[in-house]
Amino acid sequence: MGGDFAPEAAVKGAILAAQELQNEEQILLIGKEDVIHSLLKEYGYTGKNISVVNASQVIEMGEHPTKALTQKPDSSIAIGYGLLKAQKAVAFCSAGNTGAMLVGAMFSVKAIEGVLRPSIASFVPKLRGGFGVILDVGANADCKPEVLEQFGELGSIYAKYVLDIQNPKVGLMNLGEEEGKGTVNTQAAHQRLKANEIVNFIGNIEGRDLFNDKADVIVCDGYTGNIILKMAESLYDILSEKGIQDSFFDKFNYEAAGGSPILGINGNAVIGHGVSSPRAICNMVLQAQKMAASNISERFKKNYSA
């Protein structure tokens, strides 16, 4: 029920995604049952890959996240995380209230033991094809060196098992390539990543390295990452306004990935853009399916239990 074009976009997107899934895979549409059934009928869906779970309450986009989750336990976000926690769903996606999605992740399924701060990740198109992963992009504006080091680990595991990049190269976003450059935090994070045997750390990278093959995993605090992400989205918007079409810049469109995964929690969760279209919803669901198929959450747990 969340998102600027909900519930129509969510239902249309689920129908598109259902066409891509295996027969045994199910999409659970959580929301007002009568509304969803009416839309499924209107759009002519007769398949067996979509089920409906009733949620009588809706968290609006402008509501305070913590208050909304507390006061609306029968909302689609609260029920979605409940299903994820009870392992009755392998992934949960929403284009609804971003704050409520983050609060739900932290206080319902919670962070994996050993993870200092779960991160929101996003994807960076590469000039030679494929995508890299950048984290954090908004959940953690200020990060201590040990948190940045852990982002390198989380991103590396995600890149290997979900993006199929063997031995992913990890770079620390900085204002210069030299080891001594940057803030006190990035200098300390550089030393920690350099000594970390889990990641393939290649050193500092600069903004101009974002789209080349220097790094597959780009580590930064959420303040920096969010600015990078929004700037990339604006490039796509500018080119669209000027009528310029290019296959590489088409990958800057938020619809291509569909959403941003929350990494480091007990389960698979993806946050969609508030303006998500049916195509974006479809790609968000397929991304969540790939995360579940790769068993990424369990891989994180195994790394930190070790």
CSV table of all heavy atoms in Angstrom, one decimal, residues 38-97:
chain,number,residue,atom,x,y,z
A,38,SER,N,-9.6,-6.7,-6.1
A,38,SER,CA,-10.3,-6.0,-7.1
A,38,SER,C,-9.3,-5.6,-8.2
A,38,SER,O,-9.6,-5.7,-9.4
A,38,SER,CB,-10.9,-4.7,-6.5
A,38,SER,OG,-11.5,-4.0,-7.5
A,39,LEU,N,-8.1,-5.2,-7.9
A,39,LEU,CA,-7.1,-4.8,-8.9
A,39,LEU,C,-6.6,-6.0,-9.7
A,39,LEU,O,-6.4,-5.9,-10.9
A,39,LEU,CB,-5.9,-4.0,-8.2
A,39,LEU,CG,-6.2,-2.6,-7.7
A,39,LEU,CD1,-5.1,-2.1,-6.9
A,39,LEU,CD2,-6.5,-1.7,-8.9
A,40,LEU,N,-6.3,-7.1,-9.0
A,40,LEU,CA,-5.9,-8.3,-9.7
A,40,LEU,C,-6.9,-8.7,-10.7
A,40,LEU,O,-6.6,-9.1,-11.9
A,40,LEU,CB,-5.7,-9.4,-8.7
A,40,LEU,CG,-4.4,-9.3,-7.8
A,40,LEU,CD1,-4.4,-10.4,-6.7
A,40,LEU,CD2,-3.1,-9.4,-8.6
A,41,LYS,N,-8.2,-8.6,-10.4
A,41,LYS,CA,-9.3,-9.0,-11.3
A,41,LYS,C,-9.3,-8.0,-12.4
A,41,LYS,O,-9.5,-8.4,-13.6
A,41,LYS,CB,-10.6,-9.0,-10.5
A,41,LYS,CG,-11.8,-9.4,-11.4
A,41,LYS,CD,-13.1,-9.5,-10.6
A,41,LYS,CE,-14.2,-9.9,-11.5
A,41,LYS,NZ,-15.5,-10.0,-10.7
A,42,GLU,N,-9.2,-6.7,-12.1
A,42,GLU,CA,-9.2,-5.6,-13.1
A,42,GLU,C,-8.1,-5.8,-14.2
A,42,GLU,O,-8.3,-5.6,-15.4
A,42,GLU,CB,-9.1,-4.3,-12.5
A,42,GLU,CG,-9.1,-3.1,-13.4
A,42,GLU,CD,-8.9,-1.7,-12.7
A,42,GLU,OE1,-9.2,-1.7,-11.5
A,42,GLU,OE2,-8.5,-0.8,-13.4
A,43,TYR,N,-6.9,-6.2,-13.7
A,43,TYR,CA,-5.8,-6.4,-14.6
A,43,TYR,C,-5.7,-7.8,-15.2
A,43,TYR,O,-4.8,-8.1,-16.0
A,43,TYR,CB,-4.5,-6.1,-13.8
A,43,TYR,CG,-4.4,-4.7,-13.2
A,43,TYR,CD1,-3.7,-4.5,-12.0
A,43,TYR,CD2,-5.0,-3.6,-13.9
A,43,TYR,CE1,-3.7,-3.3,-11.4
A,43,TYR,CE2,-4.9,-2.4,-13.3
A,43,TYR,CZ,-4.3,-2.2,-12.1
A,43,TYR,OH,-4.2,-0.9,-11.5
A,44,GLY,N,-6.7,-8.6,-15.0
A,44,GLY,CA,-6.8,-9.9,-15.6
A,44,GLY,C,-5.9,-10.9,-15.2
A,44,GLY,O,-5.6,-11.9,-15.9
A,45,TYR,N,-5.4,-10.8,-13.9
A,45,TYR,CA,-4.5,-11.9,-13.4
A,45,TYR,C,-5.2,-13.1,-13.1
A,45,TYR,O,-6.1,-13.1,-12.3
A,45,TYR,CB,-3.7,-11.3,-12.2
A,45,TYR,CG,-2.7,-12.4,-11.7
A,45,TYR,CD1,-1.5,-12.6,-12.4
A,45,TYR,CD2,-2.9,-13.1,-10.6
A,45,TYR,CE1,-0.6,-13.6,-12.0
A,45,TYR,CE2,-2.0,-14.1,-10.1
A,45,TYR,CZ,-0.9,-14.3,-10.8
A,45,TYR,OH,0.0,-15.3,-10.4
A,46,THR,N,-4.8,-14.3,-13.6
A,46,THR,CA,-5.4,-15.6,-13.3
A,46,THR,C,-4.4,-16.6,-12.9
A,46,THR,O,-4.7,-17.8,-12.8
A,46,THR,CB,-6.2,-16.1,-14.5
A,46,THR,OG1,-5.3,-16.2,-15.7
A,46,THR,CG2,-7.3,-15.1,-14.9
A,47,GLY,N,-3.1,-16.2,-12.7
A,47,GLY,CA,-2.1,-17.1,-12.3
A,47,GLY,C,-2.1,-17.6,-10.9
A,47,GLY,O,-3.1,-17.3,-10.1
A,48,LYS,N,-1.1,-18.4,-10.5
A,48,LYS,CA,-1.1,-19.0,-9.1
A,48,LYS,C,0.1,-18.5,-8.3
A,48,LYS,O,0.4,-19.1,-7.2
A,48,LYS,CB,-1.1,-20.5,-9.2
A,48,LYS,CG,-2.4,-21.0,-9.9
A,48,LYS,CD,-2.4,-22.5,-10.0
A,48,LYS,CE,-3.7,-23.1,-10.6
A,48,LYS,NZ,-3.7,-24.6,-10.7
A,49,ASN,N,0.9,-17.5,-8.8
A,49,ASN,CA,2.1,-17.1,-8.1
A,49,ASN,C,1.9,-16.0,-7.1
A,49,ASN,O,2.8,-15.5,-6.5
A,49,ASN,CB,3.2,-16.7,-9.1
A,49,ASN,CG,3.7,-17.8,-9.9
A,49,ASN,OD1,3.2,-18.1,-11.0
A,49,ASN,ND2,4.7,-18.5,-9.4
A,50,ILE,N,0.7,-15.4,-7.1
A,50,ILE,CA,0.4,-14.3,-6.2
A,50,ILE,C,-0.7,-14.7,-5.2
A,50,ILE,O,-1.8,-15.2,-5.6
A,50,ILE,CB,-0.1,-13.1,-7.0
A,50,ILE,CG1,1.0,-12.6,-7.9
A,50,ILE,CG2,-0.5,-11.9,-6.1
A,50,ILE,CD1,0.7,-11.4,-8.8
A,51,SER,N,-0.4,-14.4,-3.9
A,51,SER,CA,-1.4,-14.6,-2.8
A,51,SER,C,-1.5,-13.2,-2.1
A,51,SER,O,-0.6,-12.4,-2.2
A,51,SER,CB,-0.9,-15.6,-1.8
A,51,SER,OG,-0.7,-16.9,-2.5
A,52,VAL,N,-2.6,-13.1,-1.5
A,52,VAL,CA,-2.9,-11.8,-0.8
A,52,VAL,C,-3.0,-12.0,0.7
A,52,VAL,O,-3.6,-13.0,1.2
A,52,VAL,CB,-4.3,-11.2,-1.3
A,52,VAL,CG1,-4.6,-9.9,-0.5
A,52,VAL,CG2,-4.2,-11.0,-2.8
A,53,VAL,N,-2.3,-11.1,1.5
A,53,VAL,CA,-2.3,-11.1,2.9
A,53,VAL,C,-2.9,-9.8,3.4
A,53,VAL,O,-2.5,-8.8,3.0
A,53,VAL,CB,-0.9,-11.3,3.5
A,53,VAL,CG1,-0.9,-11.2,5.0
A,53,VAL,CG2,-0.2,-12.5,3.0
A,54,ASN,N,-4.0,-9.9,4.2
A,54,ASN,CA,-4.7,-8.7,4.5
A,54,ASN,C,-4.0,-7.9,5.6
A,54,ASN,O,-3.4,-8.4,6.5
A,54,ASN,CB,-6.1,-9.1,5.1
A,54,ASN,CG,-6.9,-7.8,5.3
A,54,ASN,OD1,-7.1,-7.0,4.4
A,54,ASN,ND2,-7.5,-7.7,6.5
A,55,ALA,N,-4.0,-6.6,5.4
A,55,ALA,CA,-3.4,-5.6,6.3
A,55,ALA,C,-4.4,-4.4,6.3
A,55,ALA,O,-4.6,-3.7,5.3
A,55,ALA,CB,-2.0,-5.1,5.9
A,56,SER,N,-5.0,-4.2,7.5
A,56,SER,CA,-6.1,-3.2,7.6
A,56,SER,C,-5.6,-1.8,7.7
A,56,SER,O,-6.3,-0.8,7.4
A,56,SER,CB,-7.0,-3.5,8.7
A,56,SER,OG,-6.3,-3.4,10.0
A,57,GLN,N,-4.3,-1.6,8.1
A,57,GLN,CA,-3.8,-0.3,8.3
A,57,GLN,C,-2.7,0.1,7.2
A,57,GLN,O,-2.1,-0.8,6.7
A,57,GLN,CB,-3.2,-0.2,9.7
A,57,GLN,CG,-4.2,-0.3,10.8
A,57,GLN,CD,-3.6,-0.4,12.2
A,57,GLN,OE1,-2.6,-1.1,12.4
A,57,GLN,NE2,-4.1,0.4,13.1
A,58,VAL,N,-2.5,1.4,7.0
A,58,VAL,CA,-1.6,1.9,6.1
A,58,VAL,C,-0.7,3.0,6.7
A,58,VAL,O,-1.2,3.9,7.4
A,58,VAL,CB,-2.2,2.5,4.8
A,58,VAL,CG1,-1.2,3.1,3.9
A,58,VAL,CG2,-3.1,1.5,4.1
A,59,ILE,N,0.6,2.8,6.6
A,59,ILE,CA,1.6,3.8,7.1
A,59,ILE,C,1.8,4.8,5.9
A,59,ILE,O,2.3,4.4,4.9
A,59,ILE,CB,2.9,3.2,7.5
A,59,ILE,CG1,2.7,2.3,8.8
A,59,ILE,CG2,3.9,4.3,7.8
A,59,ILE,CD1,4.0,1.6,9.2
A,60,GLU,N,1.4,6.0,6.2
A,60,GLU,CA,1.5,7.0,5.1
A,60,GLU,C,3.0,7.5,5.0
A,60,GLU,O,3.8,7.3,5.9
A,60,GLU,CB,0.6,8.2,5.4
A,60,GLU,CG,-0.9,7.9,5.6
A,60,GLU,CD,-1.5,7.3,4.3
A,60,GLU,OE1,-0.9,7.5,3.2
A,60,GLU,OE2,-2.6,6.7,4.4
A,61,MET,N,3.3,8.1,3.8
A,61,MET,CA,4.7,8.4,3.5
A,61,MET,C,5.2,9.5,4.5
A,61,MET,O,6.4,9.5,4.8
A,61,MET,CB,4.8,8.9,2.1
A,61,MET,CG,4.4,7.9,1.0
A,61,MET,SD,5.4,6.4,1.0
A,61,MET,CE,6.8,7.0,0.0
A,62,GLY,N,4.4,10.4,5.0
A,62,GLY,CA,4.9,11.4,5.9
A,62,GLY,C,4.9,11.1,7.3
A,62,GLY,O,5.2,12.0,8.1
A,63,GLU,N,4.4,10.0,7.7
A,63,GLU,CA,4.3,9.6,9.2
A,63,GLU,C,5.7,9.4,9.8
A,63,GLU,O,6.6,9.0,9.2
A,63,GLU,CB,3.4,8.4,9.3
A,63,GLU,CG,2.0,8.6,9.1
A,63,GLU,CD,1.1,7.5,9.5
A,63,GLU,OE1,1.0,7.2,10.8
A,63,GLU,OE2,0.5,6.8,8.7
A,64,HIS,N,5.7,9.7,11.1
A,64,HIS,CA,6.9,9.4,11.9
A,64,HIS,C,7.1,7.9,12.0
A,64,HIS,O,6.2,7.1,12.4
A,64,HIS,CB,6.8,10.0,13.3
A,64,HIS,CG,8.0,9.9,14.1
A,64,HIS,ND1,8.4,8.7,14.8
A,64,HIS,CD2,9.0,10.8,14.4
A,64,HIS,CE1,9.5,8.9,15.4
A,64,HIS,NE2,9.9,10.2,15.2
A,65,PRO,N,8.3,7.4,11.5
A,65,PRO,CA,8.4,5.9,11.4
A,65,PRO,C,8.2,5.1,12.7
A,65,PRO,O,7.4,4.1,12.6
A,65,PRO,CB,9.9,5.8,11.0
A,65,PRO,CG,10.2,7.1,10.4
A,65,PRO,CD,9.4,8.1,11.1
A,66,THR,N,8.8,5.5,13.8
A,66,THR,CA,8.7,4.7,15.0
A,66,THR,C,7.3,4.7,15.6
A,66,THR,O,6.7,3.7,15.9
A,66,THR,CB,9.7,5.2,16.1
A,66,THR,OG1,11.0,5.3,15.5
A,66,THR,CG2,9.7,4.3,17.3
A,67,LYS,N,6.7,5.9,15.6
A,67,LYS,CA,5.3,6.0,16.1
A,67,LYS,C,4.3,5.2,15.2
A,67,LYS,O,3.4,4.6,15.7
A,67,LYS,CB,4.9,7.5,16.1
A,67,LYS,CG,5.5,8.3,17.2
A,67,LYS,CD,5.0,9.8,17.1
A,67,LYS,CE,5.6,10.6,18.2
A,67,LYS,NZ,5.1,12.0,18.2
A,68,ALA,N,4.5,5.3,13.9
A,68,ALA,CA,3.6,4.6,12.9
A,68,ALA,C,3.7,3.1,13.1
A,68,ALA,O,2.6,2.5,13.1
A,68,ALA,CB,4.0,5.0,11.5
A,69,LEU,N,4.9,2.6,13.3
A,69,LEU,CA,5.0,1.1,13.5
A,69,LEU,C,4.4,0.7,14.8
A,69,LEU,O,3.8,-0.4,14.9
A,69,LEU,CB,6.5,0.7,13.4
A,69,LEU,CG,7.0,0.5,12.0
A,69,LEU,CD1,8.5,0.3,12.0
A,69,LEU,CD2,6.4,-0.7,11.3
A,70,THR,N,4.5,1.5,15.8
A,70,THR,CA,4.0,1.2,17.1
A,70,THR,C,2.5,1.3,17.1
A,70,THR,O,1.8,0.4,17.7
A,70,THR,CB,4.5,2.2,18.2
A,70,THR,OG1,6.0,2.1,18.2
A,70,THR,CG2,4.0,1.8,19.6
A,71,GLN,N,2.0,2.3,16.5
A,71,GLN,CA,0.5,2.6,16.5
A,71,GLN,C,-0.3,1.8,15.4
A,71,GLN,O,-1.5,1.8,15.5
A,71,GLN,CB,0.3,4.1,16.3
A,71,GLN,CG,0.8,4.9,17.5
A,71,GLN,CD,0.8,6.4,17.3
A,71,GLN,OE1,0.4,6.9,16.2
A,71,GLN,NE2,1.3,7.2,18.2
A,72,LYS,N,0.5,1.3,14.4
A,72,LYS,CA,-0.2,0.6,13.3
A,72,LYS,C,0.4,-0.8,13.2
A,72,LYS,O,1.1,-1.1,12.2
A,72,LYS,CB,-0.1,1.4,12.0
A,72,LYS,CG,-0.9,2.7,12.1
A,72,LYS,CD,-0.8,3.5,10.8
A,72,LYS,CE,-1.7,4.7,10.8
A,72,LYS,NZ,-1.6,5.5,9.5
A,73,PRO,N,0.1,-1.7,14.1
A,73,PRO,CA,0.7,-3.1,14.0
A,73,PRO,C,0.1,-3.9,12.9
A,73,PRO,O,0.7,-4.9,12.6
A,73,PRO,CB,0.4,-3.7,15.4
A,73,PRO,CG,-0.9,-2.9,15.8
A,73,PRO,CD,-0.7,-1.5,15.3
A,74,ASP,N,-1.0,-3.5,12.4
A,74,ASP,CA,-1.7,-4.2,11.3
A,74,ASP,C,-1.4,-3.5,9.9
A,74,ASP,O,-2.2,-3.7,9.0
A,74,ASP,CB,-3.2,-4.3,11.5
A,74,ASP,CG,-3.8,-5.5,10.7
A,74,ASP,OD1,-3.1,-6.6,10.7
A,74,ASP,OD2,-4.8,-5.4,10.1
A,75,SER,N,-0.3,-2.8,9.8
A,75,SER,CA,0.1,-2.2,8.6
A,75,SER,C,0.8,-3.2,7.7
A,75,SER,O,1.4,-4.2,8.2
A,75,SER,CB,0.9,-0.9,8.8
A,75,SER,OG,2.2,-1.3,9.5
A,76,SER,N,1.0,-2.9,6.4
A,76,SER,CA,1.7,-3.8,5.6
A,76,SER,C,3.1,-3.9,5.9
A,76,SER,O,3.7,-5.0,5.8
A,76,SER,CB,1.5,-3.4,4.1
A,76,SER,OG,1.9,-2.1,3.9
A,77,ILE,N,3.8,-2.9,6.4
A,77,ILE,CA,5.2,-2.9,6.7
A,77,ILE,C,5.4,-3.8,8.0
A,77,ILE,O,6.3,-4.6,8.0
A,77,ILE,CB,5.8,-1.5,6.9
A,77,ILE,CG1,5.9,-0.8,5.5
A,77,ILE,CG2,7.2,-1.6,7.5
A,77,ILE,CD1,6.4,0.6,5.5
A,78,ALA,N,4.5,-3.5,9.0
A,78,ALA,CA,4.6,-4.3,10.2
A,78,ALA,C,4.4,-5.8,10.0
A,78,ALA,O,5.1,-6.7,10.5
A,78,ALA,CB,3.7,-3.8,11.3
A,79,ILE,N,3.4,-6.1,9.2
A,79,ILE,CA,3.1,-7.5,8.9
A,79,ILE,C,4.2,-8.1,8.0
A,79,ILE,O,4.5,-9.3,8.2
A,79,ILE,CB,1.7,-7.6,8.2
A,79,ILE,CG1,0.6,-7.3,9.2
A,79,ILE,CG2,1.5,-9.0,7.6
A,79,ILE,CD1,-0.8,-7.2,8.5
A,80,GLY,N,4.7,-7.4,7.1
A,80,GLY,CA,5.7,-7.9,6.2
A,80,GLY,C,7.0,-8.3,7.0
A,80,GLY,O,7.5,-9.4,6.8
A,81,TYR,N,7.4,-7.4,7.9
A,81,TYR,CA,8.5,-7.8,8.8
A,81,TYR,C,8.2,-9.0,9.7
A,81,TYR,O,9.1,-9.8,10.0
A,81,TYR,CB,9.1,-6.6,9.5
A,81,TYR,CG,10.0,-5.8,8.7
A,81,TYR,CD1,9.8,-4.4,8.5
A,81,TYR,CD2,11.2,-6.3,8.2
A,81,TYR,CE1,10.7,-3.6,7.7
A,81,TYR,CE2,12.1,-5.5,7.5
A,81,TYR,CZ,11.8,-4.2,7.2
A,81,TYR,OH,12.7,-3.5,6.5
A,82,GLY,N,6.9,-9.0,10.1
A,82,GLY,CA,6.5,-10.2,11.0
A,82,GLY,C,6.6,-11.5,10.2
A,82,GLY,O,7.1,-12.5,10.8
A,83,LEU,N,6.2,-11.5,8.9
A,83,LEU,CA,6.4,-12.7,8.1
A,83,LEU,C,7.8,-13.1,7.9
A,83,LEU,O,8.2,-14.2,7.9
A,83,LEU,CB,5.7,-12.5,6.8
A,83,LEU,CG,4.1,-12.4,6.8
A,83,LEU,CD1,3.6,-11.9,5.4
A,83,LEU,CD2,3.5,-13.7,7.2
A,84,LEU,N,8.7,-12.0,7.7
A,84,LEU,CA,10.1,-12.3,7.5
A,84,LEU,C,10.7,-12.8,8.8
A,84,LEU,O,11.5,-13.8,8.7
A,84,LEU,CB,10.8,-10.9,7.1
A,84,LEU,CG,12.2,-11.0,6.6
A,84,LEU,CD1,12.3,-11.9,5.3
A,84,LEU,CD2,12.8,-9.6,6.4
A,85,LYS,N,10.4,-12.3,9.9
A,85,LYS,CA,10.9,-12.7,11.2
A,85,LYS,C,10.5,-14.2,11.5
A,85,LYS,O,11.3,-15.0,12.0
A,85,LYS,CB,10.5,-11.8,12.3
A,85,LYS,CG,11.1,-12.2,13.7
A,85,LYS,CD,10.6,-11.2,14.7
A,85,LYS,CE,11.2,-11.5,16.1
A,85,LYS,NZ,10.8,-10.6,17.1
A,86,ALA,N,9.3,-14.5,11.2
A,86,ALA,CA,8.7,-15.8,11.4
A,86,ALA,C,9.1,-16.8,10.3
A,86,ALA,O,8.7,-18.0,10.4
A,86,ALA,CB,7.2,-15.8,11.5
A,87,GLN,N,9.9,-16.4,9.4
A,87,GLN,CA,10.4,-17.2,8.2
A,87,GLN,C,9.3,-17.7,7.4
A,87,GLN,O,9.4,-18.8,6.8
A,87,GLN,CB,11.3,-18.3,8.7
A,87,GLN,CG,12.6,-17.8,9.4
A,87,GLN,CD,13.5,-18.9,9.8
A,87,GLN,OE1,13.2,-20.0,9.9
A,87,GLN,NE2,14.8,-18.5,10.2
A,88,LYS,N,8.2,-17.0,7.3
A,88,LYS,CA,7.0,-17.3,6.5
A,88,LYS,C,7.2,-16.6,5.1
A,88,LYS,O,6.4,-16.8,4.2
A,88,LYS,CB,5.7,-17.0,7.1
A,88,LYS,CG,5.4,-17.8,8.4
A,88,LYS,CD,4.1,-17.4,9.0
A,88,LYS,CE,3.8,-18.3,10.2
A,88,LYS,NZ,2.5,-17.9,10.9
A,89,ALA,N,8.2,-15.8,5.0
A,89,ALA,CA,8.6,-15.1,3.8
A,89,ALA,C,10.1,-15.1,3.7
A,89,ALA,O,10.7,-14.9,4.8
A,89,ALA,CB,8.0,-13.7,3.7
A,90,VAL,N,10.7,-15.2,2.6
A,90,VAL,CA,12.2,-15.2,2.5
A,90,VAL,C,12.7,-13.8,2.1
A,90,VAL,O,13.9,-13.6,2.2
A,90,VAL,CB,12.7,-16.2,1.4
A,90,VAL,CG1,12.3,-17.6,1.8
A,90,VAL,CG2,12.1,-15.9,0.0
A,91,ALA,N,11.8,-12.9,1.8
A,91,ALA,CA,12.2,-11.5,1.5
A,91,ALA,C,11.0,-10.6,1.6
A,91,ALA,O,9.9,-11.0,1.4
A,91,ALA,CB,12.8,-11.4,0.1
A,92,PHE,N,11.3,-9.3,1.9
A,92,PHE,CA,10.3,-8.3,2.1
A,92,PHE,C,10.7,-7.1,1.4
A,92,PHE,O,11.8,-6.6,1.5
A,92,PHE,CB,10.0,-8.0,3.6
A,92,PHE,CG,9.0,-6.9,3.8
A,92,PHE,CD1,7.7,-7.0,3.2
A,92,PHE,CD2,9.3,-5.9,4.6
A,92,PHE,CE1,6.8,-6.0,3.3
A,92,PHE,CE2,8.3,-4.9,4.8
A,92,PHE,CZ,7.1,-4.9,4.2
A,93,CYS,N,9.8,-6.6,0.5
A,93,CYS,CA,10.0,-5.3,-0.3
A,93,CYS,C,8.9,-4.3,-0.1
A,93,CYS,O,7.8,-4.7,0.1
A,93,CYS,CB,10.0,-5.7,-1.8
A,93,CYS,SG,11.0,-7.0,-2.3
A,94,SER,N,9.3,-3.1,-0.1
A,94,SER,CA,8.2,-2.0,0.0
A,94,SER,C,8.8,-0.7,-0.6
A,94,SER,O,9.9,-0.4,-0.4
A,94,SER,CB,7.8,-1.8,1.4
A,94,SER,OG,6.9,-0.7,1.5
A,95,ALA,N,7.9,0.0,-1.3
A,95,ALA,CA,8.2,1.3,-1.8
A,95,ALA,C,7.5,2.4,-0.9
A,95,ALA,O,7.4,3.5,-1.2
A,95,ALA,CB,7.7,1.5,-3.2
A,96,GLY,N,7.1,1.9,0.3
A,96,GLY,CA,6.5,2.8,1.3
A,96,GLY,C,7.5,3.6,2.1
A,96,GLY,O,8.6,3.9,1.7
A,97,ASN,N,7.0,4.1,3.3
A,97,ASN,CA,7.8,4.9,4.2
A,97,ASN,C,9.2,4.4,4.4
A,97,ASN,O,9.3,3.3,5.1
A,97,ASN,CB,7.0,5.1,5.5
A,97,ASN,CG,7.6,6.1,6.4
A,97,ASN,OD1,8.7,6.0,6.8
A,97,ASN,ND2,6.7,7.1,6.8
